[in-house]
Amino acid sequence: MVVFYHYVGVPNAKIGNTGRRDVLAWGTSAPNIFPHLLNQLASYGWTGVELFFMISGFVICMSGWGRRPADFFVSRVVRLVPAYWAATLLTAAVLMIFPRLTSGARPSVVLTNLTMVQSAYGVPNLVPAYWTLFVELTFYLLFGLVAIGGITYRRMVTFCVVWSVASLIAAGSHHELLNNFINPPYSPFFVAGIAFFLIHKFGGNLLLWAIVAYSWLISVNQPHTNPPWQVVVILTAFYLIMAVVATRRLDGIQWRWLPIAGALTYPLYLIHQDIGFTAFAYLKNLGPAWVIALATYLVMLGVAWLIHRGVERPFAPLLRRKLTAAVDSVRRSAPPAAAAAAAAGIARATGAAPAASAASPANGANHANGVGSGNGKTAANGAPANATAPANGNGHRNGAPGHANGTSSGNAAAPANGHGNGKGHGNGKGNGNGHGGRQPVYLSTRLRIAPGGSPAGDAPGDAE
């Protein structure tokens, strides 16, 4: 859609920040050289960016689920950087070799554009379409901060609500820094994408659909207020399509071409604009405009495929290995206490029960590190405890009844047929890491979710 818009729908196709403002790619306005209906259809292609942001919210939440923040960082760098660098360097070379629309690309601008954050420093985008990448990066930053400690249903719902409220505040503040960070014009699309993924994973409920509805009501007037009715219809259609996907009505459809199309979309977006406009400037007198636009699109699609095959495919695995090794080295250098705290946070987020302490207080002072005999008697530091554990699993410590499923009070669990605290061995195989015998439901590392339902507990998904 965006390529269609730039090639056919833009009234004055020119290379923006590095171009000569008085030189048009086609030599005249697009409505003068394209059929009216074709130009009108293409003029709404800019809405493809909004659809992309919504899909990004869905896909990023899906790909980040169950991953550590460091792994999420590595996956984003590997996905974005190789193709981006190749496209940026290729575009710079084309603009320098064929400067009909520009005065060339300044090396300093090219170098800073390699960071993707040039907009934050006031450096022009080498390609005007690169503005969307900075918006995407701010979303990654916000999402990564929320993902610290693990991605859960509760965290994601809270994130959607807080980001929507923050966007409301930022939009009314007119504060440039706050607006650049919160992105009020585009946050509804990301928020809706996240909510759609939660519906897809856990089933819909009133809260999630309310988040989607609120995002839709805001986004039909974003990023342009008072849009024509055609834009409202198109944006509404995007929401309906995502709703169909979220409710799994398309799960049975297998589109073999979809992975290939998804792989080519990103490099095609990066290279199509300035290189395409340069081609128009040199080829515009060789045939009808629509033929030149179509031929240029096909060539750009081929170049995108070459970038995917020649750059992304060979370099992405290497970059992933190197980055993963670097991140692991940082993790290994962390203090043991910090590493344990991080592991506990991830375990809580994913629902995995961390290993409990093998020591349980006995007599209110000492820790039970003795070995329980088969009759259920447990020694505490060599001294008898004030409790006996019957063989049927109803163990007592200090006179307090234990759980019949084999879990005793005090962060230790042993089999039902007799147990002791800590390294307890009765008729079953109790162990010192706090688990033995049948695992209680509330310690299960994965909950079963009925279609349309939510996990047990106060936060669906916390145990995923």
Side-chain angles (χ1 to χ4, degrees):
M1 291 182 64
V2 177
V3 178
F4 185 40
Y5 167 70
H6 284 148
Y7 283 7
V8 181
V10 174
N12 300 310
K14 55 191 176 184
I15 300 178
N17 294 320
T18 61
R20 298 173 180 172
R21 299 288 180 174
D22 57 342
V23 179
L24 302 180
W26 292 109
T28 184
S29 182
N32 297 331
I33 57 176
F34 289 105
H36 177 73
L37 180 60
L38 188 65
N39 175 255
Q40 285 296 304
L41 290 175
S43 65
Y44 300 110
W46 59 267
T47 56
V49 171
E50 279 65 22
L51 176 61
F52 167 75
F53 288 154
M54 201 184 307
I55 294 174
S56 180
F58 187 101
V59 172
I60 294 305
C61 191
M62 177 176 64
S63 63
W65 204 275
R67 284 185 173 183
R68 299 171 300 181
D71 296 330
F72 172 75
F73 163 76
V74 170
S75 69
R76 291 299 89 202
V77 172
V78 170
R79 177 68 182 102
L80 298 182
V81 170
Y84 177 76
W85 278 21
T88 299
L89 295 176
L90 177 62
T91 301
V94 169
L95 297 181
M96 291 178 181
I97 297 171
F98 304 99
R100 180 167 291 187
L101 293 180
T102 72
S103 55
R106 294 168 53 189
S108 61
V109 172
V110 176
L111 292 174
T112 305
N113 269 255
L114 292 175
T115 66
M116 285 193 193
V117 296
Q118 61 273 5
S119 298
Y121 293 93
V123 178
N125 290 308
L126 180 66
V127 177
Y130 285 2
W131 71 268
T132 61
L133 299 178
F134 187 72
V135 175
E136 190 76 8
L137 288 179
T138 57
F139 167 55
Y140 292 166
L141 177 61
L142 293 173
F143 188 87
L145 292 175
V146 175
I148 295 176
I151 302 174
T152 66
Y153 178 95
R154 180 186 299 173
R155 284 176 181 265
M156 288 298 100
V157 171
T158 303
F159 178 42
C160 290
V161 173
V162 171
W163 196 5
S164 298
V165 174
S167 298
L168 175 65
I169 296 173
S173 70
H174 305 293
H175 191 281
E176 184 178 1
L177 179 60
L178 187 61
N179 275 274
N180 288 337
F181 187 68
I182 301 299
N183 276 316
Y186 302 105
S187 62
F189 300 100
F190 291 108
V191 168
I194 294 173
F196 277 130
F197 170 73
L198 296 178
I199 293 171
H200 182 268
K201 186 174 179 65
F202 299 107
N205 57 50
L206 181 60
L207 177 58
L208 293 178
W209 285 116
I211 292 173
V212 170
Y214 175 82
S215 299
W216 170 70
L217 292 172
I218 297 298
S219 61
V220 293
N221 270 293
Q222 298 295 328
H224 309 293
T225 57
N226 299 319
W229 66 268
Q230 293 91 336
V231 171
V232 176
V233 170
I234 292 172
L235 294 178
T236 302
F238 291 162
Y239 274 83
L240 292 176
I241 292 171
M242 292 297 297
V244 171
V245 173
T247 53
R248 298 181 177 272
R249 300 183 187 276
L250 299 180
D251 284 2
I253 301 178
Q254 299 295 328
W255 290 321
R256 295 183 179 179
W257 55 268
L258 194 58
I260 299 175
L264 298 184
T265 299
Y266 177 55
L268 175 63
Y269 178 81
L270 295 175
I271 64 174
H272 81 274
Q273 190 172 16
D274 281 10
I275 298 178
F277 287 177
T278 301
F280 300 159
Y282 282 89
L283 303 175
K284 61 187 177 184
N285 296 323
L286 299 181
W290 69 270
V291 174
I292 295 174
L294 178 60
T296 302
Y297 169 74
L298 293 176
V299 171
M300 291 298 99
L301 195 61
V303 175
W305 182 84
L306 290 175
I307 291 176
H308 173 65
R309 296 287 298 184
V311 177
E312 290 185 299
R313 292 280 291 269
F315 287 100
L318 176 63
L319 183 59
R320 184 183 300 276
R321 287 195 301 270
K322 295 295 184 181
L323 275 177
T324 301
V327 169
D328 288 342
S329 68
V330 174
R331 187 181 297 111
R332 287 193 298 268
S333 66
I346 294 174
R348 286 193 301 270
T350 58
S357 171
S360 302
N363 297 324
N366 297 323
H367 291 79
N369 54 14
V371 177
S373 60
N375 58 10
K377 297 179 180 180
T378 306
N381 293 331
N386 293 335
T388 60
N392 61 5
N394 296 321
H396 298 269
R397 181 172 62 82
N398 294 334
H403 298 287
N405 60 12
T407 304
S408 65
S409 305
N411 296 333
N417 292 327
H419 57 268
N421 296 329
K423 300 179 181 178
H425 293 281
N427 295 335
K429 294 181 179 179
N431 52 52
N433 62 8
H435 296 291
R438 185 173 65 85
Q439 190 180 39
V441 172
Y442 57 80
L443 292 181
S444 175
T445 58
R446 186 173 183 87
L447 296 178
R448 297 183 178 271
I449 307 172
S454 60
D458 58 349
D462 284 358
E464 279 290 329

